[in-house]
Protein backbone atom coordinates (compact mmCIF):
# COMPACT_ATOMS: atom_id res chain seq x y z
CA UNK A 1 0.00 0.00 0.00
CA UNK A 2 1.09 3.56 -0.70
CA UNK A 3 -0.06 6.57 1.31
CA UNK A 4 -1.60 9.31 -0.85
CA UNK A 5 -0.14 12.81 -0.95
CA UNK A 6 -2.50 15.41 0.49
CA UNK A 7 -3.42 18.41 -1.66
CA UNK A 8 -5.74 21.41 -1.77
CA UNK A 9 -8.25 22.07 -4.55
CA UNK A 10 -7.95 25.81 -5.11
CA UNK A 11 -11.58 26.12 -6.18
CA UNK A 12 -12.30 26.27 -2.45
CA UNK A 13 -10.23 29.49 -2.36
CA UNK A 14 -11.36 30.80 -5.74
CA UNK A 15 -12.15 34.27 -4.35
CA UNK A 16 -8.49 34.58 -3.37
CA UNK A 17 -6.83 33.59 -6.65
CA UNK A 18 -8.32 36.14 -9.06
CA UNK A 19 -5.14 38.19 -9.51
CA UNK A 20 -1.45 37.31 -9.59
CA UNK A 21 -0.91 39.22 -6.35
CA UNK A 22 -3.67 37.33 -4.57
CA UNK A 23 -2.50 34.02 -6.04
CA UNK A 24 0.96 34.74 -4.62
CA UNK A 25 -0.48 35.49 -1.17
CA UNK A 26 -2.71 32.42 -1.21
CA UNK A 27 0.14 30.09 -2.17
CA UNK A 28 2.26 31.64 0.58
CA UNK A 29 -0.43 31.01 3.16
CA UNK A 30 -0.89 27.43 2.01
CA UNK A 31 2.85 26.87 1.93
CA UNK A 32 3.09 28.04 5.52
CA UNK A 33 0.52 25.35 6.38
CA UNK A 34 2.73 22.72 4.78
CA UNK A 35 0.82 22.35 1.52
CA UNK A 36 2.98 21.38 -1.45
CA UNK A 37 0.41 20.13 -3.96
CA UNK A 38 -2.63 21.92 -5.36
CA UNK A 39 -5.34 21.54 -7.96
CA UNK A 40 -5.92 24.65 -10.03
CA UNK A 41 -9.57 25.52 -10.64
CA UNK A 42 -11.50 28.77 -10.53
CA UNK A 43 -8.36 30.83 -11.04
CA UNK A 44 -8.51 34.33 -12.50
CA UNK A 45 -7.01 35.50 -15.79
CA UNK A 46 -3.41 34.90 -14.78
CA UNK A 47 -1.00 33.88 -17.56
CA UNK A 48 0.32 30.34 -17.36
CA UNK A 49 3.88 31.63 -17.19
CA UNK A 50 3.01 33.73 -14.13
CA UNK A 51 1.29 30.77 -12.52
CA UNK A 52 4.41 28.68 -13.10
CA UNK A 53 6.66 31.33 -11.57
CA UNK A 54 4.51 31.69 -8.45
CA UNK A 55 4.11 27.94 -8.05
CA UNK A 56 7.87 27.55 -8.24
CA UNK A 57 8.39 30.43 -5.79
CA UNK A 58 6.33 28.59 -3.17
CA UNK A 59 7.61 25.10 -4.04
CA UNK A 60 4.18 23.98 -5.25
CA UNK A 61 3.15 21.38 -7.83
CA UNK A 62 -0.16 21.05 -9.69
CA UNK A 63 -1.61 17.54 -9.48
CA UNK A 64 -4.64 18.18 -11.72
CA UNK A 65 -6.80 21.00 -13.09
CA UNK A 66 -10.42 21.72 -13.90
CA UNK A 67 -10.72 23.43 -17.27
CA UNK A 68 -13.56 24.19 -19.66
CA UNK A 69 -14.72 21.29 -21.82
CA UNK A 70 -15.51 23.80 -24.56
CA UNK A 71 -11.89 25.01 -24.44
CA UNK A 72 -10.71 21.43 -24.85
CA UNK A 73 -12.99 20.91 -27.86
CA UNK A 74 -12.16 24.25 -29.47
CA UNK A 75 -8.40 24.49 -28.90
CA UNK A 76 -6.83 21.37 -27.44
CA UNK A 77 -3.37 22.54 -28.53
CA UNK A 78 -3.71 25.60 -26.30
CA UNK A 79 -4.90 23.42 -23.41
CA UNK A 80 -1.86 21.17 -23.84
CA UNK A 81 0.53 24.12 -24.04
CA UNK A 82 -1.02 25.65 -20.92
CA UNK A 83 -0.59 22.46 -18.91
CA UNK A 84 2.97 21.96 -20.10
CA UNK A 85 3.75 25.46 -18.90
CA UNK A 86 2.36 24.93 -15.40
CA UNK A 87 3.89 21.45 -15.19
CA UNK A 88 0.66 19.46 -14.93
CA UNK A 89 -0.01 16.20 -16.79
CA UNK A 90 -3.62 15.68 -15.64
CA UNK A 91 -6.28 17.72 -17.44
CA UNK A 92 -9.63 17.67 -15.67
CA UNK A 93 -13.18 18.87 -16.15
CA UNK A 94 -15.51 19.67 -13.28
CA UNK A 95 -18.59 18.15 -14.90
CA UNK A 96 -20.14 17.09 -18.16
CA UNK A 97 -21.82 20.02 -19.92
CA UNK A 98 -25.63 20.14 -19.90
CA UNK A 99 -25.75 18.83 -23.45
CA UNK A 100 -23.66 15.82 -22.42
CA UNK A 101 -25.99 14.37 -19.80
CA UNK A 102 -29.59 13.34 -19.15
CA UNK A 103 -30.19 10.70 -21.85
CA UNK A 104 -28.34 8.04 -23.79
CA UNK A 105 -27.73 10.15 -26.88
CA UNK A 106 -26.20 13.00 -24.92
CA UNK A 107 -23.98 10.72 -22.86
CA UNK A 108 -22.78 8.80 -25.93
CA UNK A 109 -21.88 12.07 -27.63
CA UNK A 110 -20.03 13.31 -24.54
CA UNK A 111 -18.03 10.08 -24.26
CA UNK A 112 -17.08 10.27 -27.93
CA UNK A 113 -15.94 13.89 -27.62
CA UNK A 114 -14.08 13.25 -24.38
CA UNK A 115 -12.18 10.28 -25.77
CA UNK A 116 -11.12 12.21 -28.87
CA UNK A 117 -9.71 14.87 -26.54
CA UNK A 118 -8.13 12.17 -24.37
CA UNK A 119 -6.32 10.65 -27.37
CA UNK A 120 -4.66 13.98 -28.12
CA UNK A 121 -3.75 14.45 -24.48
CA UNK A 122 -2.25 10.97 -24.32
CA UNK A 123 -0.10 11.71 -27.36
CA UNK A 124 1.39 14.52 -25.29
CA UNK A 125 1.90 12.53 -22.11
CA UNK A 126 -1.26 13.81 -20.44
CA UNK A 127 -4.53 12.32 -19.19
CA UNK A 128 -8.20 13.27 -19.30
CA UNK A 129 -9.90 13.29 -15.88
CA UNK A 130 -13.61 13.52 -15.07
CA UNK A 131 -14.95 14.95 -11.78
CA UNK A 132 -18.39 13.72 -10.73
CA UNK A 133 -21.31 15.31 -8.92
CA UNK A 134 -24.44 13.43 -7.86
CA UNK A 135 -26.39 13.57 -11.14
CA UNK A 136 -24.19 10.88 -12.71
CA UNK A 137 -25.71 8.36 -10.28
CA UNK A 138 -29.36 9.04 -11.18
CA UNK A 139 -31.13 7.08 -13.91
CA UNK A 140 -30.93 8.45 -17.43
CA UNK A 141 -34.24 9.79 -18.71
CA UNK A 142 -34.56 7.01 -21.30
CA UNK A 143 -32.68 4.11 -19.74
CA UNK A 144 -32.46 2.04 -16.57
CA UNK A 145 -28.74 2.77 -16.21
CA UNK A 146 -27.21 5.90 -14.76
CA UNK A 147 -24.56 8.02 -16.43
CA UNK A 148 -21.82 6.79 -14.08
CA UNK A 149 -22.44 3.21 -15.19
CA UNK A 150 -21.87 4.30 -18.76
CA UNK A 151 -18.73 6.23 -17.85
CA UNK A 152 -17.37 3.18 -16.03
CA UNK A 153 -18.37 0.57 -18.60
CA UNK A 154 -18.36 2.33 -21.97
CA UNK A 155 -15.18 4.41 -21.75
CA UNK A 156 -11.64 3.24 -22.51
CA UNK A 157 -9.67 2.86 -19.25
CA UNK A 158 -6.56 3.84 -21.18
CA UNK A 159 -8.12 7.21 -22.03
CA UNK A 160 -10.85 8.15 -19.57
CA UNK A 161 -9.89 8.74 -15.93
CA UNK A 162 -11.80 9.98 -12.91
CA UNK A 163 -11.58 12.56 -10.12
CA UNK A 164 -14.09 10.88 -7.80
CA UNK A 165 -15.76 13.14 -5.25
CA UNK A 166 -16.65 11.07 -2.20
CA UNK A 167 -19.28 13.47 -0.85
CA UNK A 168 -21.24 13.66 -4.09
CA UNK A 169 -21.06 9.87 -4.42
CA UNK A 170 -22.37 9.46 -0.87
CA UNK A 171 -25.06 12.12 -1.37
CA UNK A 172 -26.30 10.24 -4.45
CA UNK A 173 -26.82 7.15 -2.30
CA UNK A 174 -23.85 5.17 -3.62
CA UNK A 175 -20.95 3.68 -1.69
CA UNK A 176 -17.79 5.77 -2.15
CA UNK A 177 -15.44 2.89 -1.34
CA UNK A 178 -17.23 0.59 -3.75
CA UNK A 179 -17.05 3.17 -6.52
CA UNK A 180 -13.35 3.79 -5.87
CA UNK A 181 -12.68 0.08 -6.25
CA UNK A 182 -14.50 0.06 -9.58
CA UNK A 183 -12.28 2.95 -10.69
CA UNK A 184 -9.09 1.07 -9.83
CA UNK A 185 -6.07 2.34 -11.77
CA UNK A 186 -8.16 5.19 -13.24
CA UNK A 187 -7.72 7.78 -10.45
CA UNK A 188 -4.81 10.12 -9.88
CA UNK A 189 -6.62 12.59 -7.62
CA UNK A 190 -9.44 11.76 -5.20
CA UNK A 191 -11.62 14.59 -3.86
CA UNK A 192 -12.38 14.67 -0.15
CA UNK A 193 -15.50 16.65 0.74
CA UNK A 194 -17.95 16.35 3.64
CA UNK A 195 -21.52 17.44 4.37
CA UNK A 196 -24.41 17.30 6.84
CA UNK A 197 -28.18 17.60 6.71
CA UNK A 198 -29.89 20.23 8.84
CA UNK A 199 -33.16 19.67 10.73
CA UNK A 200 -35.11 20.55 7.57
CA UNK A 201 -33.23 18.00 5.49
CA UNK A 202 -31.16 20.56 3.60
CA UNK A 203 -27.57 19.68 2.68
CA UNK A 204 -24.68 21.83 3.90
CA UNK A 205 -21.01 21.27 3.20
CA UNK A 206 -18.69 21.24 6.23
CA UNK A 207 -14.99 21.02 6.99
CA UNK A 208 -13.58 17.54 6.60
CA UNK A 209 -14.37 15.18 9.44
CA UNK A 210 -17.40 17.13 10.62
CA UNK A 211 -19.98 15.47 8.41
CA UNK A 212 -21.57 12.16 7.44
CA UNK A 213 -19.02 10.81 4.95
CA UNK A 214 -16.77 8.03 6.27
CA UNK A 215 -13.54 9.68 5.16
CA UNK A 216 -11.38 7.25 7.13
CA UNK A 217 -12.78 4.36 5.10
CA UNK A 218 -12.20 6.35 1.91
CA UNK A 219 -8.62 7.09 2.99
CA UNK A 220 -7.95 3.43 3.70
CA UNK A 221 -9.35 2.53 0.28
CA UNK A 222 -7.16 5.16 -1.36
CA UNK A 223 -4.09 3.60 0.27
CA UNK A 224 -5.13 0.12 -0.78
CA UNK A 225 -5.75 1.26 -4.37
CA UNK A 226 -2.56 3.36 -4.35
CA UNK A 227 -4.34 6.53 -5.44
CA UNK A 228 -1.55 9.14 -5.63
CA UNK A 229 -3.39 12.23 -4.32
CA UNK A 230 -6.26 13.22 -2.07
CA UNK A 231 -7.41 16.84 -2.52
CA UNK A 232 -9.71 18.75 -0.17
CA UNK A 233 -12.54 20.62 -1.91
CA UNK A 234 -15.46 22.54 -0.42
CA UNK A 235 -17.82 24.41 -2.71
CA UNK A 236 -19.35 26.72 -0.08
CA UNK A 237 -20.75 26.72 3.50
CA UNK A 238 -17.28 27.41 4.91
CA UNK A 239 -16.69 27.55 8.67
CA UNK A 240 -17.69 31.04 9.88
CA UNK A 241 -18.05 31.96 6.20
CA UNK A 242 -14.25 31.83 5.90
CA UNK A 243 -12.84 29.60 3.16
CA UNK A 244 -9.35 29.80 4.66
CA UNK A 245 -10.59 28.69 8.07
CA UNK A 246 -12.38 25.73 6.48
CA UNK A 247 -9.22 24.89 4.56
CA UNK A 248 -7.10 25.03 7.71
CA UNK A 249 -9.57 22.82 9.61
CA UNK A 250 -9.74 20.34 6.75
CA UNK A 251 -5.97 20.26 6.29
CA UNK A 252 -5.58 19.47 9.98
CA UNK A 253 -8.03 16.58 9.60
CA UNK A 254 -6.16 15.28 6.56
CA UNK A 255 -2.91 15.36 8.49
CA UNK A 256 -4.55 13.40 11.30
CA UNK A 257 -5.36 10.62 8.83
CA UNK A 258 -1.69 10.36 7.95
CA UNK A 259 -0.82 9.83 11.62
CA UNK A 260 -3.28 7.00 12.25
Amino acid sequence: MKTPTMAIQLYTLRDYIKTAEDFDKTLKRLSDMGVRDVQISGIGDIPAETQRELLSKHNMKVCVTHKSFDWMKDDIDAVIAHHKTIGCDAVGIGSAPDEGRGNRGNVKRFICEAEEIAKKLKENGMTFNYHNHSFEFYRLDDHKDCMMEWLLQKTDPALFNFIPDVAWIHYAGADPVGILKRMKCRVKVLHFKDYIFDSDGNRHFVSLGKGVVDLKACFDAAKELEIPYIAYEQDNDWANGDAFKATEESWEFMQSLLKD
Side-chain angles (χ1 to χ4, degrees):
M1 292 193 296
K2 185 177 181 180
T3 301
T5 297
M6 298 303 189
I8 298 295
Q9 167 33 332
L10 292 180
Y11 181 73
T12 306
L13 300 169
R14 57 195 177 275
D15 293 335
Y16 303 93
I17 56 173
K18 295 304 184 186
T19 67
E21 181 180 6
D22 286 343
F23 187 49
D24 187 11
K25 291 178 181 178
T26 294
L27 293 183
K28 171 65 165 61
R29 189 163 177 176
L30 292 175
S31 179
D32 289 345
M33 289 167 49
V35 179
R36 292 291 175 264
D37 298 88
V38 295
Q39 174 179 345
I40 290 184
S41 176
I43 196 168
D45 187 16
I46 305 171
E49 292 79 7
T50 302
Q51 293 182 39
R52 179 185 61 197
E53 292 170 4
L54 294 175
L55 289 161
S56 177
K57 174 183 176 180
H58 297 289
N59 193 27
M60 295 275 190
K61 295 182 295 181
V62 183
C63 55
V64 69
T65 64
H66 277 175
K67 297 299 180 183
S68 163
F69 193 60
D70 283 341
W71 187 29
M72 296 180 197
K73 290 194 297 181
D74 295 343
D75 197 349
I76 189 60
D77 290 337
V79 173
I80 291 168
H82 177 95
H83 284 75
K84 286 183 176 180
T85 299
I86 65 173
C88 178
D89 64 1
V91 181
I93 64 168
S95 175
D98 290 344
E99 61 272 18
R101 58 176 91 167
N103 60 56
R104 284 176 290 181
N106 289 348
V107 175
K108 286 179 181 178
R109 183 166 52 253
F110 169 72
I111 289 174
C112 181
E113 292 173 342
E115 291 196 335
E116 284 303 308
I117 290 168
K119 289 175 185 176
K120 294 179 181 178
L121 293 174
K122 187 176 182 179
E123 291 169 0
N124 286 271
M126 298 179 183
T127 59
F128 176 88
N129 301 265
Y130 181 88
H131 171 265
N132 68 274
H133 289 77
S134 58
F135 71 83
E136 292 92 348
F137 294 87
Y138 305 142
R139 286 181 57 176
L140 297 172
D141 295 345
D142 58 351
H143 201 268
K144 63 181 180 180
D145 282 341
C146 66
M147 181 175 179
M148 182 54 70
E149 281 299 322
W150 282 45
L151 296 181
L152 287 167
Q153 297 181 27
K154 299 180 183 296
T155 58
D156 184 345
L159 295 174
F160 197 104
N161 298 291
F162 295 92
I163 309 171
D165 186 305
V166 296
W168 284 122
I169 294 171
H170 185 276
Y171 180 72
D175 172 27
V177 171
I179 294 297
L180 291 181
K181 290 180 178 180
R182 294 187 65 191
M183 293 175 175
K184 185 177 181 180
C185 299
R186 301 179 73 175
V187 177
K188 178 184 179 181
V189 181
L190 167 63
H191 274 189
F192 264 23
K193 185 181 293 173
D194 213 346
Y195 73 97
I196 59 171
F197 288 111
D198 64 22
S199 58
D200 295 321
N202 298 310
R203 185 202 69 234
H204 300 279
F205 294 118
V206 292
S207 300
L208 298 182
K210 298 180 181 295
V212 298
V213 182
D214 189 346
L215 296 175
K216 177 61 166 61
C218 294
F219 176 72
D220 290 342
K223 286 200 298 182
E224 178 185 342
L225 296 167
E226 298 191 344
I227 293 174
Y229 294 91
I230 294 175
Y232 157 67
E233 179 186 54
Q234 186 171 340
D235 303 42
N236 45 45
D237 301 327
W238 305 291
N240 298 339
D242 185 340
F244 270 110
K245 178 175 177 57
T247 299
E248 289 167 354
E249 290 181 350
S250 296
W251 184 251
E252 183 177 349
F253 174 82
M254 295 170 82
Q255 298 308 299
S256 73
L257 291 174
L258 297 175
K259 297 174 183 177
D260 289 343

